[in-house]
Amino acid sequence: MTALPRSKILERILAIIVGAVFIYAGFLKARDPVHFASDISNYQMVPWSVGVRFAFYLPWLELVCGFALVLHRFFSGALAITIALLLAFLGATAWARIHGIDVSCGCFGSAGTNLTLAWHLAILAGLLLASIYLWCTRERVRFA
Amino acid sequence: MGRVLVRQVLFLLGLAFLPAIGQALYYRGTASWQQRPVDSAAVSVEEAKNWGGAVLWVDARAEEPFAKAHVPGALRLDEDGWDTLLPSVLAAWSPERKVVVYCSRETCNASHAVAERLRHEVQLKNIYVLQGGWEEWENKK
């Protein structure tokens, strides 16, 4: 068995951290999709009928991507979706702020109510930076 | 490489659909699919004014707008200063009082977030959100 080089160990640890956060966030939101639908609706970007459908789908997408990152399977695909989701979350928060809409992020379901918006943004930005680093250093992709 | 990446993305997007559809079917009778459910605990300015002294007003806006003006007797409580501000709200609260939370306007979310925490974390009863928020209060003065 060959040992992983140090840079690869760092990448694995980062992938596990990002994946674990996505699993945690996805699990919290999947437990209460109607509450998450309200969080989406508060952003006033999409009508309720669209937001509620997102609310039932996005948590599972986060869970699937989180597990893929932790288990290092379908890695590039999971990473691409993760980066897209993080950009969407950051963009939505910025959009709400620009339009003067007073929202709580909703990123971590009911557990996120103890976090200020600044903390939410810091966590999202940290995850995005880690994901971009993983994207730049990832190996060539095979299907699985 | 590009094609493999696209296949991976499509596979993962599709995989997430399966439990999502299952959960949506489970919730099909209870979730509101076309429009947001009406908040039964919302109260209009007129109605809240009619309650008179039985109301404990809670201002969920930031410190600066609160300092400029607020509903007479209102106490400030927002999520950022939750731990510091909550004790003064609890000291003023009594079981027979109705708590009406407001933020800046109809579209703000702070009043809903504070009302929800008062209901679920602090376990207070009779928590209401003021329809239209401070903006509506100013209009109805």
Side-chain angles (χ1 to χ4, degrees), chain A residues 29-30 32-37 40 48 50-61, chain B residues 16-17 19-28 30-33:
Chain A
K29 285 184 271 197
D32 193 355
V34 178
H35 185 277
F36 182 43
I40 293 175
W48 174 269
V50 176
V52 74
R53 283 159 177 82
F54 273 128
F56 275 87
Y57 178 64
L58 283 180
W60 293 104
L61 185 60
Chain B
F17 254 112
I21 288 170
Q23 194 180 31
L25 288 173
Y26 179 77
Y27 274 85
R28 71 185 184 283
T30 51
S32 173
W33 296 96

PDB file of all heavy atoms in Angstrom, chain A residues 29-30 32-37 40 48 50-61, chain B residues 16-17 19-28 30-33:
ATOM      1  N   LYS A  29     -31.920  20.579   6.267  1.00  0.00           N
ATOM      2  CA  LYS A  29     -32.967  21.116   5.392  1.00  0.00           C
ATOM      3  C   LYS A  29     -33.932  20.024   4.936  1.00  0.00           C
ATOM      4  O   LYS A  29     -35.127  20.274   4.793  1.00  0.00           O
ATOM      5  CB  LYS A  29     -32.318  21.819   4.196  1.00  0.00           C
ATOM      6  CG  LYS A  29     -31.728  23.168   4.594  1.00  0.00           C
ATOM      7  CD  LYS A  29     -31.161  23.916   3.426  1.00  0.00           C
ATOM      8  CE  LYS A  29     -29.735  23.553   3.202  1.00  0.00           C
ATOM      9  NZ  LYS A  29     -28.991  24.509   2.355  1.00  0.00           N
ATOM     10  N   ALA A  30     -33.403  18.817   4.710  1.00  0.00           N
ATOM     11  CA  ALA A  30     -34.273  17.724   4.265  1.00  0.00           C
ATOM     12  C   ALA A  30     -35.264  17.326   5.360  1.00  0.00           C
ATOM     13  O   ALA A  30     -36.345  16.823   5.081  1.00  0.00           O
ATOM     14  CB  ALA A  30     -33.435  16.516   3.854  1.00  0.00           C
ATOM     15  N   ASP A  32     -36.893  19.363   7.209  1.00  0.00           N
ATOM     16  CA  ASP A  32     -38.022  20.300   7.230  1.00  0.00           C
ATOM     17  C   ASP A  32     -38.064  21.099   5.925  1.00  0.00           C
ATOM     18  O   ASP A  32     -37.732  22.289   5.900  1.00  0.00           O
ATOM     19  CB  ASP A  32     -37.876  21.234   8.441  1.00  0.00           C
ATOM     20  CG  ASP A  32     -39.142  22.032   8.717  1.00  0.00           C
ATOM     21  OD1 ASP A  32     -40.091  21.924   7.894  1.00  0.00           O
ATOM     22  OD2 ASP A  32     -39.185  22.756   9.726  1.00  0.00           O
ATOM     23  N   PRO A  33     -38.473  20.447   4.820  1.00  0.00           N
ATOM     24  CA  PRO A  33     -38.446  21.136   3.520  1.00  0.00           C
ATOM     25  C   PRO A  33     -39.406  22.327   3.444  1.00  0.00           C
ATOM     26  O   PRO A  33     -39.141  23.285   2.718  1.00  0.00           O
ATOM     27  CB  PRO A  33     -38.847  20.041   2.528  1.00  0.00           C
ATOM     28  CG  PRO A  33     -39.503  18.991   3.331  1.00  0.00           C
ATOM     29  CD  PRO A  33     -38.922  19.058   4.706  1.00  0.00           C
ATOM     30  N   VAL A  34     -40.495  22.277   4.206  1.00  0.00           N
ATOM     31  CA  VAL A  34     -41.455  23.395   4.152  1.00  0.00           C
ATOM     32  C   VAL A  34     -40.838  24.649   4.773  1.00  0.00           C
ATOM     33  O   VAL A  34     -41.001  25.765   4.269  1.00  0.00           O
ATOM     34  CB  VAL A  34     -42.778  23.010   4.847  1.00  0.00           C
ATOM     35  CG1 VAL A  34     -43.751  24.177   4.837  1.00  0.00           C
ATOM     36  CG2 VAL A  34     -43.402  21.798   4.159  1.00  0.00           C
ATOM     37  N   HIS A  35     -40.083  24.458   5.850  1.00  0.00           N
ATOM     38  CA  HIS A  35     -39.386  25.583   6.465  1.00  0.00           C
ATOM     39  C   HIS A  35     -38.348  26.141   5.492  1.00  0.00           C
ATOM     40  O   HIS A  35     -38.192  27.362   5.348  1.00  0.00           O
ATOM     41  CB  HIS A  35     -38.720  25.133   7.763  1.00  0.00           C
ATOM     42  CG  HIS A  35     -38.069  26.248   8.525  1.00  0.00           C
ATOM     43  ND1 HIS A  35     -36.800  26.712   8.231  1.00  0.00           N
ATOM     44  CD2 HIS A  35     -38.509  27.025   9.541  1.00  0.00           C
ATOM     45  CE1 HIS A  35     -36.496  27.701   9.043  1.00  0.00           C
ATOM     46  NE2 HIS A  35     -37.513  27.914   9.845  1.00  0.00           N
ATOM     47  N   PHE A  36     -37.642  25.245   4.805  1.00  0.00           N
ATOM     48  CA  PHE A  36     -36.649  25.683   3.826  1.00  0.00           C
ATOM     49  C   PHE A  36     -37.339  26.421   2.673  1.00  0.00           C
ATOM     50  O   PHE A  36     -36.794  27.403   2.143  1.00  0.00           O
ATOM     51  CB  PHE A  36     -35.851  24.468   3.326  1.00  0.00           C
ATOM     52  CG  PHE A  36     -34.756  24.805   2.350  1.00  0.00           C
ATOM     53  CD1 PHE A  36     -33.913  25.892   2.555  1.00  0.00           C
ATOM     54  CD2 PHE A  36     -34.556  24.029   1.217  1.00  0.00           C
ATOM     55  CE1 PHE A  36     -32.902  26.200   1.647  1.00  0.00           C
ATOM     56  CE2 PHE A  36     -33.553  24.324   0.311  1.00  0.00           C
ATOM     57  CZ  PHE A  36     -32.722  25.411   0.523  1.00  0.00           C
ATOM     58  N   ALA A  37     -38.530  25.973   2.303  1.00  0.00           N
ATOM     59  CA  ALA A  37     -39.289  26.665   1.249  1.00  0.00           C
ATOM     60  C   ALA A  37     -39.594  28.106   1.671  1.00  0.00           C
ATOM     61  O   ALA A  37     -39.531  29.029   0.856  1.00  0.00           O
ATOM     62  CB  ALA A  37     -40.585  25.917   0.950  1.00  0.00           C
ATOM     63  N   ILE A  40     -36.456  30.125   1.200  1.00  0.00           N
ATOM     64  CA  ILE A  40     -36.255  30.461  -0.221  1.00  0.00           C
ATOM     65  C   ILE A  40     -37.210  31.582  -0.624  1.00  0.00           C
ATOM     66  O   ILE A  40     -36.832  32.543  -1.287  1.00  0.00           O
ATOM     67  CB  ILE A  40     -36.472  29.219  -1.117  1.00  0.00           C
ATOM     68  CG1 ILE A  40     -35.381  28.182  -0.857  1.00  0.00           C
ATOM     69  CG2 ILE A  40     -36.481  29.604  -2.599  1.00  0.00           C
ATOM     70  CD1 ILE A  40     -35.579  26.869  -1.606  1.00  0.00           C
ATOM     71  N   TRP A  48     -43.395  31.129  -5.011  1.00  0.00           N
ATOM     72  CA  TRP A  48     -43.492  30.040  -4.043  1.00  0.00           C
ATOM     73  C   TRP A  48     -43.538  28.672  -4.720  1.00  0.00           C
ATOM     74  O   TRP A  48     -42.871  27.734  -4.289  1.00  0.00           O
ATOM     75  CB  TRP A  48     -44.729  30.229  -3.160  1.00  0.00           C
ATOM     76  CG  TRP A  48     -44.972  29.067  -2.247  1.00  0.00           C
ATOM     77  CD1 TRP A  48     -45.743  27.974  -2.504  1.00  0.00           C
ATOM     78  CD2 TRP A  48     -44.395  28.846  -0.949  1.00  0.00           C
ATOM     79  NE1 TRP A  48     -45.696  27.093  -1.441  1.00  0.00           N
ATOM     80  CE2 TRP A  48     -44.874  27.603  -0.473  1.00  0.00           C
ATOM     81  CE3 TRP A  48     -43.521  29.593  -0.153  1.00  0.00           C
ATOM     82  CZ2 TRP A  48     -44.509  27.098   0.759  1.00  0.00           C
ATOM     83  CZ3 TRP A  48     -43.162  29.071   1.093  1.00  0.00           C
ATOM     84  CH2 TRP A  48     -43.656  27.844   1.527  1.00  0.00           C
ATOM     85  N   VAL A  50     -42.288  27.600  -7.358  1.00  0.00           N
ATOM     86  CA  VAL A  50     -40.962  27.149  -7.809  1.00  0.00           C
ATOM     87  C   VAL A  50     -40.070  26.875  -6.594  1.00  0.00           C
ATOM     88  O   VAL A  50     -39.396  25.849  -6.509  1.00  0.00           O
ATOM     89  CB  VAL A  50     -40.303  28.215  -8.725  1.00  0.00           C
ATOM     90  CG1 VAL A  50     -38.898  27.804  -9.128  1.00  0.00           C
ATOM     91  CG2 VAL A  50     -41.162  28.467  -9.960  1.00  0.00           C
ATOM     92  N   GLY A  51     -40.089  27.806  -5.633  1.00  0.00           N
ATOM     93  CA  GLY A  51     -39.247  27.693  -4.450  1.00  0.00           C
ATOM     94  C   GLY A  51     -39.515  26.421  -3.655  1.00  0.00           C
ATOM     95  O   GLY A  51     -38.584  25.779  -3.182  1.00  0.00           O
ATOM     96  N   VAL A  52     -40.779  26.052  -3.546  1.00  0.00           N
ATOM     97  CA  VAL A  52     -41.111  24.862  -2.745  1.00  0.00           C
ATOM     98  C   VAL A  52     -40.574  23.597  -3.423  1.00  0.00           C
ATOM     99  O   VAL A  52     -40.142  22.647  -2.753  1.00  0.00           O
ATOM    100  CB  VAL A  52     -42.635  24.788  -2.474  1.00  0.00           C
ATOM    101  CG1 VAL A  52     -43.422  24.385  -3.699  1.00  0.00           C
ATOM    102  CG2 VAL A  52     -42.932  23.843  -1.332  1.00  0.00           C
ATOM    103  N   ARG A  53     -40.522  23.604  -4.743  1.00  0.00           N
ATOM    104  CA  ARG A  53     -39.956  22.451  -5.468  1.00  0.00           C
ATOM    105  C   ARG A  53     -38.443  22.384  -5.284  1.00  0.00           C
ATOM    106  O   ARG A  53     -37.875  21.313  -5.096  1.00  0.00           O
ATOM    107  CB  ARG A  53     -40.363  22.500  -6.940  1.00  0.00           C
ATOM    108  CG  ARG A  53     -41.822  22.052  -7.120  1.00  0.00           C
ATOM    109  CD  ARG A  53     -42.461  22.521  -8.396  1.00  0.00           C
ATOM    110  NE  ARG A  53     -43.816  21.995  -8.541  1.00  0.00           N
ATOM    111  CZ  ARG A  53     -44.910  22.511  -7.970  1.00  0.00           C
ATOM    112  NH1 ARG A  53     -44.819  23.574  -7.206  1.00  0.00           N
ATOM    113  NH2 ARG A  53     -46.100  21.951  -8.161  1.00  0.00           N
ATOM    114  N   PHE A  54     -37.808  23.562  -5.320  1.00  0.00           N
ATOM    115  CA  PHE A  54     -36.375  23.620  -5.006  1.00  0.00           C
ATOM    116  C   PHE A  54     -36.124  23.090  -3.591  1.00  0.00           C
ATOM    117  O   PHE A  54     -35.138  22.409  -3.342  1.00  0.00           O
ATOM    118  CB  PHE A  54     -35.862  25.062  -5.076  1.00  0.00           C
ATOM    119  CG  PHE A  54     -35.423  25.496  -6.448  1.00  0.00           C
ATOM    120  CD1 PHE A  54     -35.908  26.656  -7.022  1.00  0.00           C
ATOM    121  CD2 PHE A  54     -34.496  24.748  -7.170  1.00  0.00           C
ATOM    122  CE1 PHE A  54     -35.498  27.066  -8.283  1.00  0.00           C
ATOM    123  CE2 PHE A  54     -34.080  25.147  -8.427  1.00  0.00           C
ATOM    124  CZ  PHE A  54     -34.587  26.307  -8.983  1.00  0.00           C
ATOM    125  N   ALA A  55     -37.014  23.465  -2.682  1.00  0.00           N
ATOM    126  CA  ALA A  55     -36.826  23.107  -1.277  1.00  0.00           C
ATOM    127  C   ALA A  55     -36.872  21.592  -1.061  1.00  0.00           C
ATOM    128  O   ALA A  55     -36.277  21.089  -0.111  1.00  0.00           O
ATOM    129  CB  ALA A  55     -37.888  23.791  -0.420  1.00  0.00           C
ATOM    130  N   PHE A  56     -37.583  20.890  -1.923  1.00  0.00           N
ATOM    131  CA  PHE A  56     -37.631  19.437  -1.791  1.00  0.00           C
ATOM    132  C   PHE A  56     -36.440  18.769  -2.503  1.00  0.00           C
ATOM    133  O   PHE A  56     -36.099  17.649  -2.191  1.00  0.00           O
ATOM    134  CB  PHE A  56     -38.951  18.891  -2.357  1.00  0.00           C
ATOM    135  CG  PHE A  56     -40.064  18.931  -1.345  1.00  0.00           C
ATOM    136  CD1 PHE A  56     -40.845  20.064  -1.187  1.00  0.00           C
ATOM    137  CD2 PHE A  56     -40.321  17.845  -0.519  1.00  0.00           C
ATOM    138  CE1 PHE A  56     -41.855  20.118  -0.251  1.00  0.00           C
ATOM    139  CE2 PHE A  56     -41.329  17.889   0.435  1.00  0.00           C
ATOM    140  CZ  PHE A  56     -42.103  19.030   0.564  1.00  0.00           C
ATOM    141  N   TYR A  57     -35.830  19.482  -3.449  1.00  0.00           N
ATOM    142  CA  TYR A  57     -34.766  18.878  -4.241  1.00  0.00           C
ATOM    143  C   TYR A  57     -33.362  19.230  -3.735  1.00  0.00           C
ATOM    144  O   TYR A  57     -32.502  18.351  -3.593  1.00  0.00           O
ATOM    145  CB  TYR A  57     -34.924  19.305  -5.701  1.00  0.00           C
ATOM    146  CG  TYR A  57     -33.842  18.782  -6.609  1.00  0.00           C
ATOM    147  CD1 TYR A  57     -33.701  17.414  -6.827  1.00  0.00           C
ATOM    148  CD2 TYR A  57     -32.952  19.648  -7.238  1.00  0.00           C
ATOM    149  CE1 TYR A  57     -32.698  16.921  -7.652  1.00  0.00           C
ATOM    150  CE2 TYR A  57     -31.955  19.163  -8.066  1.00  0.00           C
ATOM    151  CZ  TYR A  57     -31.827  17.807  -8.271  1.00  0.00           C
ATOM    152  OH  TYR A  57     -30.831  17.323  -9.080  1.00  0.00           O
ATOM    153  N   LEU A  58     -33.138  20.527  -3.459  1.00  0.00           N
ATOM    154  CA  LEU A  58     -31.780  20.978  -3.121  1.00  0.00           C
ATOM    155  C   LEU A  58     -31.149  20.253  -1.928  1.00  0.00           C
ATOM    156  O   LEU A  58     -29.964  19.904  -1.990  1.00  0.00           O
ATOM    157  CB  LEU A  58     -31.769  22.497  -2.865  1.00  0.00           C
ATOM    158  CG  LEU A  58     -31.812  23.378  -4.111  1.00  0.00           C
ATOM    159  CD1 LEU A  58     -31.788  24.855  -3.713  1.00  0.00           C
ATOM    160  CD2 LEU A  58     -30.647  23.079  -5.040  1.00  0.00           C
ATOM    161  N   PRO A  59     -31.890  20.014  -0.828  1.00  0.00           N
ATOM    162  CA  PRO A  59     -31.249  19.314   0.304  1.00  0.00           C
ATOM    163  C   PRO A  59     -30.705  17.945  -0.101  1.00  0.00           C
ATOM    164  O   PRO A  59     -29.626  17.549   0.334  1.00  0.00           O
ATOM    165  CB  PRO A  59     -32.379  19.169   1.326  1.00  0.00           C
ATOM    166  CG  PRO A  59     -33.323  20.269   0.999  1.00  0.00           C
ATOM    167  CD  PRO A  59     -33.267  20.428  -0.484  1.00  0.00           C
ATOM    168  N   TRP A  60     -31.443  17.221  -0.951  1.00  0.00           N
ATOM    169  CA  TRP A  60     -30.979  15.893  -1.382  1.00  0.00           C
ATOM    170  C   TRP A  60     -29.781  16.014  -2.309  1.00  0.00           C
ATOM    171  O   TRP A  60     -28.881  15.174  -2.280  1.00  0.00           O
ATOM    172  CB  TRP A  60     -32.125  15.123  -2.054  1.00  0.00           C
ATOM    173  CG  TRP A  60     -33.196  14.800  -1.067  1.00  0.00           C
ATOM    174  CD1 TRP A  60     -34.403  15.410  -0.924  1.00  0.00           C
ATOM    175  CD2 TRP A  60     -33.127  13.816  -0.017  1.00  0.00           C
ATOM    176  NE1 TRP A  60     -35.094  14.870   0.130  1.00  0.00           N
ATOM    177  CE2 TRP A  60     -34.348  13.889   0.702  1.00  0.00           C
ATOM    178  CE3 TRP A  60     -32.169  12.891   0.383  1.00  0.00           C
ATOM    179  CZ2 TRP A  60     -34.615  13.064   1.795  1.00  0.00           C
ATOM    180  CZ3 TRP A  60     -32.432  12.070   1.470  1.00  0.00           C
ATOM    181  CH2 TRP A  60     -33.642  12.160   2.156  1.00  0.00           C
ATOM    182  N   LEU A  61     -29.768  17.066  -3.119  1.00  0.00           N
ATOM    183  CA  LEU A  61     -28.610  17.306  -3.982  1.00  0.00           C
ATOM    184  C   LEU A  61     -27.375  17.596  -3.122  1.00  0.00           C
ATOM    185  O   LEU A  61     -26.277  17.105  -3.404  1.00  0.00           O
ATOM    186  CB  LEU A  61     -28.898  18.476  -4.930  1.00  0.00           C
ATOM    187  CG  LEU A  61     -27.822  18.771  -5.978  1.00  0.00           C
ATOM    188  CD1 LEU A  61     -27.593  17.563  -6.886  1.00  0.00           C
ATOM    189  CD2 LEU A  61     -28.203  19.982  -6.821  1.00  0.00           C
TER     190      LEU A  61
ATOM    191  N   ALA B  16     -30.157  12.628  -6.988  1.00  0.00           N
ATOM    192  CA  ALA B  16     -30.818  13.432  -5.943  1.00  0.00           C
ATOM    193  C   ALA B  16     -32.330  13.512  -6.159  1.00  0.00           C
ATOM    194  O   ALA B  16     -33.084  13.752  -5.215  1.00  0.00           O
ATOM    195  CB  ALA B  16     -30.214  14.834  -5.904  1.00  0.00           C
ATOM    196  N   PHE B  17     -32.757  13.301  -7.399  1.00  0.00           N
ATOM    197  CA  PHE B  17     -34.195  13.360  -7.691  1.00  0.00           C
ATOM    198  C   PHE B  17     -34.974  12.250  -6.990  1.00  0.00           C
ATOM    199  O   PHE B  17     -36.117  12.455  -6.580  1.00  0.00           O
ATOM    200  CB  PHE B  17     -34.432  13.237  -9.199  1.00  0.00           C
ATOM    201  CG  PHE B  17     -34.810  14.543  -9.836  1.00  0.00           C
ATOM    202  CD1 PHE B  17     -33.957  15.170 -10.724  1.00  0.00           C
ATOM    203  CD2 PHE B  17     -36.017  15.166  -9.531  1.00  0.00           C
ATOM    204  CE1 PHE B  17     -34.281  16.387 -11.296  1.00  0.00           C
ATOM    205  CE2 PHE B  17     -36.354  16.382 -10.092  1.00  0.00           C
ATOM    206  CZ  PHE B  17     -35.482  16.987 -10.980  1.00  0.00           C
ATOM    207  N   PRO B  19     -34.760  10.460  -3.955  1.00  0.00           N
ATOM    208  CA  PRO B  19     -35.324  10.713  -2.615  1.00  0.00           C
ATOM    209  C   PRO B  19     -36.201  11.955  -2.574  1.00  0.00           C
ATOM    210  O   PRO B  19     -37.167  12.003  -1.811  1.00  0.00           O
ATOM    211  CB  PRO B  19     -34.078  10.894  -1.737  1.00  0.00           C
ATOM    212  CG  PRO B  19     -32.971  11.223  -2.666  1.00  0.00           C
ATOM    213  CD  PRO B  19     -33.294  10.576  -3.969  1.00  0.00           C
ATOM    214  N   ALA B  20     -35.871  12.964  -3.422  1.00  0.00           N
ATOM    215  CA  ALA B  20     -36.678  14.197  -3.429  1.00  0.00           C
ATOM    216  C   ALA B  20     -38.111  13.895  -3.860  1.00  0.00           C
ATOM    217  O   ALA B  20     -39.070  14.395  -3.261  1.00  0.00           O
ATOM    218  CB  ALA B  20     -36.043  15.233  -4.365  1.00  0.00           C
ATOM    219  N   ILE B  21     -38.255  13.062  -4.884  1.00  0.00           N
ATOM    220  CA  ILE B  21     -39.605  12.703  -5.346  1.00  0.00           C
ATOM    221  C   ILE B  21     -40.332  11.902  -4.266  1.00  0.00           C
ATOM    222  O   ILE B  21     -41.507  12.139  -3.973  1.00  0.00           O
ATOM    223  CB  ILE B  21     -39.525  11.916  -6.670  1.00  0.00           C
ATOM    224  CG1 ILE B  21     -39.119  12.871  -7.806  1.00  0.00           C
ATOM    225  CG2 ILE B  21     -40.846  11.237  -7.003  1.00  0.00           C
ATOM    226  CD1 ILE B  21     -38.774  12.198  -9.099  1.00  0.00           C
ATOM    227  N   GLY B  22     -39.596  11.009  -3.626  1.00  0.00           N
ATOM    228  CA  GLY B  22     -40.194  10.226  -2.541  1.00  0.00           C
ATOM    229  C   GLY B  22     -40.696  11.112  -1.426  1.00  0.00           C
ATOM    230  O   GLY B  22     -41.820  10.958  -0.934  1.00  0.00           O
ATOM    231  N   GLN B  23     -39.870  12.094  -1.046  1.00  0.00           N
ATOM    232  CA  GLN B  23     -40.268  12.997   0.039  1.00  0.00           C
ATOM    233  C   GLN B  23     -41.440  13.888  -0.382  1.00  0.00           C
ATOM    234  O   GLN B  23     -42.348  14.143   0.404  1.00  0.00           O
ATOM    235  CB  GLN B  23     -39.074  13.862   0.455  1.00  0.00           C
ATOM    236  CG  GLN B  23     -39.307  14.565   1.771  1.00  0.00           C
ATOM    237  CD  GLN B  23     -38.128  15.418   2.199  1.00  0.00           C
ATOM    238  OE1 GLN B  23     -37.402  15.951   1.368  1.00  0.00           O
ATOM    239  NE2 GLN B  23     -37.945  15.557   3.494  1.00  0.00           N
ATOM    240  N   ALA B  24     -41.405  14.346  -1.645  1.00  0.00           N
ATOM    241  CA  ALA B  24     -42.505  15.187  -2.143  1.00  0.00           C
ATOM    242  C   ALA B  24     -43.818  14.405  -2.128  1.00  0.00           C
ATOM    243  O   ALA B  24     -44.874  14.946  -1.779  1.00  0.00           O
ATOM    244  CB  ALA B  24     -42.189  15.689  -3.542  1.00  0.00           C
ATOM    245  N   LEU B  25     -43.753  13.129  -2.472  1.00  0.00           N
ATOM    246  CA  LEU B  25     -44.972  12.293  -2.423  1.00  0.00           C
ATOM    247  C   LEU B  25     -45.463  12.150  -0.984  1.00  0.00           C
ATOM    248  O   LEU B  25     -46.659  12.202  -0.713  1.00  0.00           O
ATOM    249  CB  LEU B  25     -44.693  10.913  -3.028  1.00  0.00           C
ATOM    250  CG  LEU B  25     -44.522  10.875  -4.545  1.00  0.00           C
ATOM    251  CD1 LEU B  25     -44.083   9.485  -5.011  1.00  0.00           C
ATOM    252  CD2 LEU B  25     -45.835  11.255  -5.234  1.00  0.00           C
ATOM    253  N   TYR B  26     -44.511  12.011  -0.068  1.00  0.00           N
ATOM    254  CA  TYR B  26     -44.867  11.871   1.341  1.00  0.00           C
ATOM    255  C   TYR B  26     -45.572  13.133   1.851  1.00  0.00           C
ATOM    256  O   TYR B  26     -46.494  13.073   2.653  1.00  0.00           O
ATOM    257  CB  TYR B  26     -43.598  11.596   2.161  1.00  0.00           C
ATOM    258  CG  TYR B  26     -43.826  11.443   3.641  1.00  0.00           C
ATOM    259  CD1 TYR B  26     -44.352  10.252   4.163  1.00  0.00           C
ATOM    260  CD2 TYR B  26     -43.522  12.477   4.528  1.00  0.00           C
ATOM    261  CE1 TYR B  26     -44.560  10.114   5.524  1.00  0.00           C
ATOM    262  CE2 TYR B  26     -43.729  12.349   5.884  1.00  0.00           C
ATOM    263  CZ  TYR B  26     -44.247  11.165   6.382  1.00  0.00           C
ATOM    264  OH  TYR B  26     -44.456  11.034   7.731  1.00  0.00           O
ATOM    265  N   TYR B  27     -45.116  14.301   1.350  1.00  0.00           N
ATOM    266  CA  TYR B  27     -45.666  15.587   1.795  1.00  0.00           C
ATOM    267  C   TYR B  27     -46.816  16.081   0.914  1.00  0.00           C
ATOM    268  O   TYR B  27     -47.297  17.192   1.113  1.00  0.00           O
ATOM    269  CB  TYR B  27     -44.570  16.665   1.771  1.00  0.00           C
ATOM    270  CG  TYR B  27     -43.730  16.747   3.022  1.00  0.00           C
ATOM    271  CD1 TYR B  27     -42.625  15.926   3.188  1.00  0.00           C
ATOM    272  CD2 TYR B  27     -44.025  17.649   4.037  1.00  0.00           C
ATOM    273  CE1 TYR B  27     -41.832  15.992   4.329  1.00  0.00           C
ATOM    274  CE2 TYR B  27     -43.242  17.731   5.174  1.00  0.00           C
ATOM    275  CZ  TYR B  27     -42.148  16.901   5.312  1.00  0.00           C
ATOM    276  OH  TYR B  27     -41.371  16.982   6.440  1.00  0.00           O
ATOM    277  N   ARG B  28     -47.225  15.292  -0.086  1.00  0.00           N
ATOM    278  CA  ARG B  28     -48.129  15.857  -1.104  1.00  0.00           C
ATOM    279  C   ARG B  28     -49.447  16.376  -0.522  1.00  0.00           C
ATOM    280  O   ARG B  28     -50.009  17.340  -1.028  1.00  0.00           O
ATOM    281  CB  ARG B  28     -48.398  14.839  -2.221  1.00  0.00           C
ATOM    282  CG  ARG B  28     -49.268  13.666  -1.824  1.00  0.00           C
ATOM    283  CD  ARG B  28     -49.359  12.658  -2.967  1.00  0.00           C
ATOM    284  NE  ARG B  28     -50.264  11.565  -2.668  1.00  0.00           N
ATOM    285  CZ  ARG B  28     -49.987  10.537  -1.871  1.00  0.00           C
ATOM    286  NH1 ARG B  28     -48.792  10.469  -1.286  1.00  0.00           N
ATOM    287  NH2 ARG B  28     -50.866   9.585  -1.643  1.00  0.00           N
ATOM    288  N   THR B  30     -49.832  17.612   2.601  1.00  0.00           N
ATOM    289  CA  THR B  30     -49.669  18.605   3.663  1.00  0.00           C
ATOM    290  C   THR B  30     -48.967  19.881   3.211  1.00  0.00           C
ATOM    291  O   THR B  30     -49.254  20.955   3.731  1.00  0.00           O
ATOM    292  CB  THR B  30     -48.868  18.006   4.847  1.00  0.00           C
ATOM    293  OG1 THR B  30     -47.675  17.417   4.322  1.00  0.00           O
ATOM    294  CG2 THR B  30     -49.669  16.948   5.573  1.00  0.00           C
ATOM    295  N   ALA B  31     -48.055  19.771   2.250  1.00  0.00           N
ATOM    296  CA  ALA B  31     -47.330  20.981   1.809  1.00  0.00           C
ATOM    297  C   ALA B  31     -48.196  21.801   0.860  1.00  0.00           C
ATOM    298  O   ALA B  31     -48.995  21.248   0.102  1.00  0.00           O
ATOM    299  CB  ALA B  31     -46.025  20.577   1.121  1.00  0.00           C
ATOM    300  N   SER B  32     -48.023  23.118   0.908  1.00  0.00           N
ATOM    301  CA  SER B  32     -48.737  23.992  -0.019  1.00  0.00           C
ATOM    302  C   SER B  32     -47.857  24.183  -1.253  1.00  0.00           C
ATOM    303  O   SER B  32     -46.766  24.729  -1.167  1.00  0.00           O
ATOM    304  CB  SER B  32     -48.997  25.339   0.674  1.00  0.00           C
ATOM    305  OG  SER B  32     -49.530  26.241  -0.247  1.00  0.00           O
ATOM    306  N   TRP B  33     -48.340  23.727  -2.410  1.00  0.00           N
ATOM    307  CA  TRP B  33     -47.491  23.691  -3.608  1.00  0.00           C
ATOM    308  C   TRP B  33     -47.639  24.928  -4.476  1.00  0.00           C
ATOM    309  O   TRP B  33     -46.750  25.229  -5.267  1.00  0.00           O
ATOM    310  CB  TRP B  33     -47.798  22.444  -4.451  1.00  0.00           C
ATOM    311  CG  TRP B  33     -47.473  21.198  -3.723  1.00  0.00           C
ATOM    312  CD1 TRP B  33     -48.326  20.413  -3.007  1.00  0.00           C
ATOM    313  CD2 TRP B  33     -46.185  20.588  -3.561  1.00  0.00           C
ATOM    314  NE1 TRP B  33     -47.661  19.367  -2.415  1.00  0.00           N
ATOM    315  CE2 TRP B  33     -46.344  19.459  -2.749  1.00  0.00           C
ATOM    316  CE3 TRP B  33     -44.898  20.905  -4.026  1.00  0.00           C
ATOM    317  CZ2 TRP B  33     -45.281  18.617  -2.396  1.00  0.00           C
ATOM    318  CZ3 TRP B  33     -43.845  20.083  -3.674  1.00  0.00           C
ATOM    319  CH2 TRP B  33     -44.035  18.953  -2.869  1.00  0.00           C
TER     320      TRP B  33
END
